């Protein structure tokens, strides 16, 4: 199995000092609500009371799924590559969300059926032309799993080296709500009935068919270990996403987690590296029905609840301005005492 | 009474066409949730299927309140001017929220106790050095109300003339949760017990004292008409805010409504100009207890729910990226059919 880099527990030594700094700002204590809790989290992750955040990246991992042969989705696999290309063309949902914070969007080909033409924003890490059909056999070999996880870790590290402090992570992959439900079921024990939803579009045979396929796939190899669950059921884009989460956390950077699939990946990644949890910021509540249960499993309350369920990291990207605003409470606001002093002392 | 410029009902002729355009984008129908509804609203307000939004402004109206003499707040009135100055200095909560969308923040002195020194971002429209004590007498004269409303309309119009398409409106004014509760009670009939909360800080005599003062103030002159309610109980900053809402709507621009005080103002402004309602975008849910009832009265569900209650337009500013993202669904995303055509026709 791939080596998972160490992710240390957050050092909480400065937490009281950071809380006091937040309370001292020119506002009633707590008046910025969840952004203050987020500011504390960011300061602890970055290890400074005044976190000046560098660039953000939206990294969208794309891959195809052999399980689509079982009729679990309304869209054909070719759509994964088309959407990945559309993101590179700058005309997808991911782009308009990232544009609100001036964030660069990168696409990683983790294993699409067909390669994409070279592009400055495309990172080529193809493990294979799609996974195998997990209803019949493991989605990937142990060696493929290892390569995908290592690639995700390396991609996060490279972007951090280039100045990224905020990693918003998303995915594209027709069939991956099925893969995500299987991985999350294996890791968390939450019933497949809870985790199976329409995804990007209910399959021709209905959600009951999708559920029956997933029950059969899990019954084929009912694993519980997160690495085994990812190798048996995930897509390459999901394993790479798990690696990127762990890689970012190992470098003390924030990870913005998107919707159902990214959160399912997070359940596995946190099981592999428990201290990762404290570096995750959950961006939005998806309408995919199983998302709520996964958030509950992770003890997470997302920042946004806008009824979205598009994937591509759209929700994660949309939360970047909230992360920057939270950090700026510590770096960009004056203390109330300083404001009062300018008026010639306390007015009380 | 001041003349209220006409605000026409939204022309819904193009709504089916805009809905179809949203459905045709490269995403499952409805997958961008509330942003799609917001995109429709924006397109209808701007009267175009492809709304390209120009600049945004955060306009913070500041004023002082004679009612503070009754001990309804923890902070002295001098703090209003200090916070207004802090915003001009660029170091307040409003500034960090507006910075996330590159939005200019303007401060309007609508009637602070003391004038502020001249500043390029300060708009001087002082009606008086604070309102009178509405526990004892009307907060302002009819002539002052007229001037304040007209000033708000003019300020919105001037900023729109300078290129502003999104007006995020906020306020600063120690004592104005009391004034807002009175105005909203008068206009909506919602009980003061529901509308009275701690505001920026519970007063020395507790919330029960604040409520008793407001009951007495309303009992002095139990008006129902929105203009009368504003003149009797509001601050100059609130009347000007009402004027700016109406002025923006009359020019077919979106208004981002902040928290409790701005929403209380909106109940009065919508009563004055009912078609204003369709131009309002409610930015965030405040923790001030009465906010929920006011949102319910207006049939509004805010975009953000982050436990904030700072005022200064902080919530309104934080929602600007969501407004821009929504509009960009219509202007920046390709149609699914176009994406599939690039692949050589439908893959079905």
């Amino acid at each position: 199995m791939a080596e998972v880099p160490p992710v240390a527990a957050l050092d909480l030594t400065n937490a009281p000092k950071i809380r006091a700094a937040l309370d001292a700002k020119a506002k009633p204590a707590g008046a910025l609500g969840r952004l203050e809790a987020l500011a504390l989290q960011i300061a602890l992750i970055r290890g400074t009371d005044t976190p000046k955040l560098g660039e953000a990246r939206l990294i969208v991992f794309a891959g195809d799924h052999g399980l689509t042969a079982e009729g679990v989705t309304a869209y054909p696999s070719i759509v994964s590559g088309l959407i990945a290309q559309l993101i590179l063309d700058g005309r997808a949902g991911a782009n308009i969300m990232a544009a609100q914070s001036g964030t660069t969007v990168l696409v990683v080909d983790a294993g699409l059926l067909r390669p994409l033409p070279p592009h400055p924003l495309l990172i080529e890490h193809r493990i294979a032309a799609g996974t195998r059909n997990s209803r019949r056999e493991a989605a990937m070999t142990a060696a493929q799993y290892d390569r995908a996880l290592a690639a995700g870790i390396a991609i996060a590290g490279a972007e951090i080296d280039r100045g990224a402090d905020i990693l918003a992570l998303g995915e594209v992959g027709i069939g991956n709500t099925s893969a995500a439900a299987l991985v999350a079921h294996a890791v968390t024990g939450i019933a497949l009935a809870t985790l199976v939803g329409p995804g990007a579009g209910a399959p021709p045979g209905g959600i009951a068919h999708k559920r029956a396929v997933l029950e059969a796939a899990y019954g084929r190899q009912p694993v519980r270990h997160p690495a085994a669950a990812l190798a048996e059921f995930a897509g390459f884009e999901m394993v790479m996403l798990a690696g990127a989460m762990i890689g970012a956390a190992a470098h003390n950077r924030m990870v913005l987690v998107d919707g159902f699939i990214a959160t399912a990946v997070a359940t596995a990644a946190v099981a592999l590296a428990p201290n990762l949890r404290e570096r995750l910021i959950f961006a939005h509540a998806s309408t995919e029905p199983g998302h709520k249960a996964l958030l509950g499993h992770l003890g997470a309350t997302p920042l946004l609840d806008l009824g979205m369920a598009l994937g591509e990291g759209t929700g994660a990207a949309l939360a970047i301005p909230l992360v920057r605003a939270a950090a700026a409470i510590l770096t960009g606001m004056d203390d109330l005492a300083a404001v009062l002093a300018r008026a010639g002392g306390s007015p009380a």
Side-chain angles (χ1 to χ4, degrees), chain A residues 1 10 45 49 62 72 157 212 260 308:
Chain A
M1 285 293 171
L10 280 192
I45 293 171
D49 307 353
V72 290
F260 178 70
M308 290 165 52

Side-chain angles (χ1 to χ4, degrees), chain A residues 141-323:
Chain A
T141 66
Q144 289 176 325
Y145 167 81
D146 283 354
R147 283 169 53 210
L149 195 75
I153 293 166
I155 289 166
E159 292 311 315
I160 290 165
D161 286 347
R162 290 188 185 101
D165 280 346
I166 305 171
L167 279 84
L169 303 178
E171 44 55 48
V172 165
I174 296 299
N176 67 7
T177 57
S178 291
L182 283 166
V183 168
H185 172 60
V187 173
T188 69
I190 296 168
L192 278 171
T194 302
L195 296 172
V196 175
I207 290 179
H209 171 72
K210 180 173 176 179
R211 181 178 157 189
V213 170
L214 301 197
E215 297 279 8
Y218 187 69
R220 179 186 60 71
Q221 194 67 280
V223 297
R224 290 282 175 209
H225 188 277
L230 287 166
E232 284 294 335
F233 304 116
F236 300 124
E237 83 283 16
M238 293 168 61
V239 177
M240 232 173 262
L241 209 169
M245 286 180 177
I246 293 168
H251 286 91
N252 291 315
R253 259 63 175 197
M254 285 76 69
V255 173
L256 270 165
V257 182
D258 198 40
F260 178 70
I261 293 140
T263 305
V265 168
T267 66
V270 167
L272 289 169
N275 290 322
L276 164 63
R277 173 65 187 86
E278 300 161 324
R279 273 84 170 180
L280 299 179
I281 298 167
F282 291 84
H284 86 116
S286 168
T287 55
E288 183 71 6
H291 196 213
K292 194 174 179 179
L294 298 184
L295 292 167
H297 174 83
L298 290 162
T301 306
L303 292 169
L304 297 167
D305 186 358
L306 293 167
M308 290 165 52
L310 180 52
E312 305 177 11
T314 44
L318 204 54
I320 293 171
L322 303 182
V323 171

Side-chain angles (χ1 to χ4, degrees), chain A residues 46 107 157:
Chain A
R46 299 296 299 127
V107 173

